């Protein structure tokens, strides 16, 4: 086990004891079991889902309900066999618009309890693949105009935090924010001018990269049942959660092909 993986193991252990409200064992489509940890914070109205994949990649999904934003942060271990040795992992952050029906609320999430923590879960619904083309680079020291959490989550991704212009405009409109002020925190990467990284021969040249990830299990909605109250009146009440799987593909700018080696595969 490398120093990188030891550090991530310690991080996940601390997360389990200090913050984790729900720990779920999930079987992915490849047959591997991943351990997800989901934390809800009702004070900040946010949810954090985190897991480590078999190859050592640490994935975090953070939902800021107040800002209508979700952040996907990925710590990617360097592939030493490719001749690139680094002491730190590569970090990517993808910022997208959050839809209210994509995940249950932070309040509902905070109330979930697991009866059998050793069970291996599978989702009820596969929501397929979402494609996101992220043509903006986020300036992190101005990122608070998007979300007060963005800098803390993505501070290790100073040159690799990306967003989509159409998403940002929809978010600012929905929250009545000053669009011009928000756009000062973003820089257009002119993604369309670059070739795909897998088709770029020079490892030092910029290109556009694709990163693919799957969230194998998450509570995507509440279930309601019908029954009668003490007076005999028919009522609807919460009786469980609906669980889903989703995959996401992110197209984004890479300042050098060496920061997108997985796109050769």
């Amino acid at each position: 086990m490398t120093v990188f993986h030891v550090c991530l193991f310690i991080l996940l252990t601390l997360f389990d004891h200090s913050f984790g409200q729900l720990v779920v064992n999930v079987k992915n489509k490849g047959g591997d079991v991943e351990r997800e940890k989901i934390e809800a914070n009702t004070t900040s109205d946010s949810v954090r889902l985190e897991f480590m994949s078999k190859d050592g990649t640490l994935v975090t999904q953070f939902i800021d309900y107040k800002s209508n934003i979700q952040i996907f942060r990925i710590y990617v271990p360097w592939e030493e066999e490719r001749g690139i040795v680094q002491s730190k992992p590569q970090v990517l952050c993808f910022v997208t618009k959050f839809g209210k029906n994509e995940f249950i609320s932070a309040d509902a999430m905070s109330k979930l309890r697991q009866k059998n923590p050793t069970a291996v879960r599978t989702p009820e619904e596969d929501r397929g693949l979402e494609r996101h083309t992220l043509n903006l680079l986020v300036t992190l020291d101005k990122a608070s105009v998007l979300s007060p959490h963005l800098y803390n989550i993505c501070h290790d991704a100073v040159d690799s935090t990306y967003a989509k212009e159409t998403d940002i405009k929809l978010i600012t409109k929905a929250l009545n924010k000053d669009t011009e002020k928000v756009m000062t925190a973003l820089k257009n990467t002119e993604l369309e001018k670059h070739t795909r990284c897998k088709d770029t021969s020079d490892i030092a040249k910029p290109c556009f990269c694709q990163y693919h990830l799957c969230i194998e299990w998450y509570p995507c909605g509440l279930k309601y049942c019908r029954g009668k109250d003490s007076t005999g009146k028919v009522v609807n009440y919460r009786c469980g959660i609906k669980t889903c799987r989703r995959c996401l593909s992110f197209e984004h700018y890479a300042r050098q092909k060496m920061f997108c080696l997985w796109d050769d595969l």
Side-chain angles (χ1 to χ4, degrees):
M1 182 180 286
T2 66
V3 173
F4 168 71
H5 290 100
V6 170
C7 291
L8 287 185
F9 175 78
I10 293 171
L11 173 63
L12 287 174
T13 302
L14 289 173
F15 182 91
D16 191 8
H17 290 296
S18 302
F19 304 104
Q21 294 183 344
L22 193 66
V23 180
V24 184
N25 299 306
V26 184
K27 181 176 288 188
N28 63 28
K29 285 200 168 182
D32 298 316
V33 175
E34 297 172 346
R35 197 179 194 203
E36 291 183 0
K37 299 169 181 65
I38 310 175
E39 169 200 0
N41 186 323
T42 55
T43 302
S44 63
D45 199 11
S46 64
V47 165
R48 180 192 297 257
L49 181 153
E50 196 159 58
F51 66 92
M52 185 190 290
S53 62
K54 187 179 180 181
D55 66 1
T57 300
L58 181 64
V59 177
T60 302
Q61 178 186 6
F62 184 90
I63 301 170
D64 177 356
Y65 291 85
K66 291 181 180 178
S67 300
N68 289 355
I69 277 177
Q70 58 186 334
I71 304 162
F72 296 90
R73 184 188 65 191
I74 300 99
Y75 281 83
V76 185
W78 283 96
E79 301 178 65
E80 296 182 14
E81 68 274 13
R82 301 293 294 271
I84 300 175
V85 180
Q86 295 283 342
S87 59
K88 294 182 179 181
Q90 184 178 348
V91 187
L92 300 167
C93 268
F94 303 124
V95 182
T96 68
K97 181 179 179 295
F98 173 71
K100 296 295 185 183
N101 296 323
E102 292 183 47
F103 210 104
I104 65 173
S105 69
D107 179 65
M109 186 69 233
S110 69
K111 295 172 182 175
L112 293 184
R113 299 293 180 267
Q114 179 150 264
K115 295 179 181 178
N116 184 4
T118 62
V120 177
R121 309 290 177 180
T122 55
E124 298 169 74
E125 179 183 329
D126 190 334
R127 292 194 166 178
L129 176 65
E130 301 172 18
R131 297 186 183 274
H132 297 271
T133 300
L134 309 177
N135 62 330
L136 299 176
L137 181 67
V138 180
T139 304
L140 285 181
D141 60 4
K142 298 179 181 179
S144 60
V145 298
L146 291 171
S147 166
H149 306 282
L150 188 50
Y151 180 84
N152 287 336
I153 295 168
C154 298
H155 65 273
D156 289 331
V158 174
D159 299 316
S160 52
T161 298
Y162 305 98
K164 181 165 58 175
E165 187 173 1
T166 52
D167 274 3
I168 298 302
K169 288 181 177 179
L170 287 171
I171 291 166
T172 54
K173 182 178 180 181
L175 299 178
N176 293 316
K177 289 186 176 183
D178 185 334
T179 303
E180 289 188 10
K181 182 180 178 181
V182 170
M183 292 305 291
T184 62
L186 301 152
K187 178 183 178 181
N188 196 310
T189 59
E190 298 183 320
L191 199 62
E192 68 282 356
K193 293 185 178 181
H194 299 283
T195 57
R196 176 84 179 266
C197 288
K198 73 174 185 177
D199 299 321
T200 304
S201 56
D202 188 343
I203 200 169
K205 280 192 173 181
C207 50
F208 78 83
C209 181
Q210 281 192 357
Y211 190 88
H212 183 89
L213 69 87
C214 292
I215 309 294
E216 298 291 345
W217 185 99
Y218 65 99
C220 53
L222 297 172
K223 290 181 179 178
Y224 290 88
C225 296
R226 292 175 65 85
K228 293 183 179 180
D229 62 16
S230 58
T231 65
K233 182 181 177 181
V234 176
V235 294
N236 292 326
Y237 62 94
R238 293 181 186 177
C239 56
I241 60 169
K242 178 182 178 181
T243 61
C244 293
R245 174 184 188 269
R246 69 193 294 208
C247 291
L248 304 104
S249 177
F250 299 101
E251 283 191 353
H252 63 92
Y253 171 79
R255 63 188 185 277
Q256 292 182 337
K257 179 179 176 173
M258 68 176 288
F259 297 108
C260 184
L261 294 178
W262 55 81
D263 209 17
D264 273 346
L265 302 176

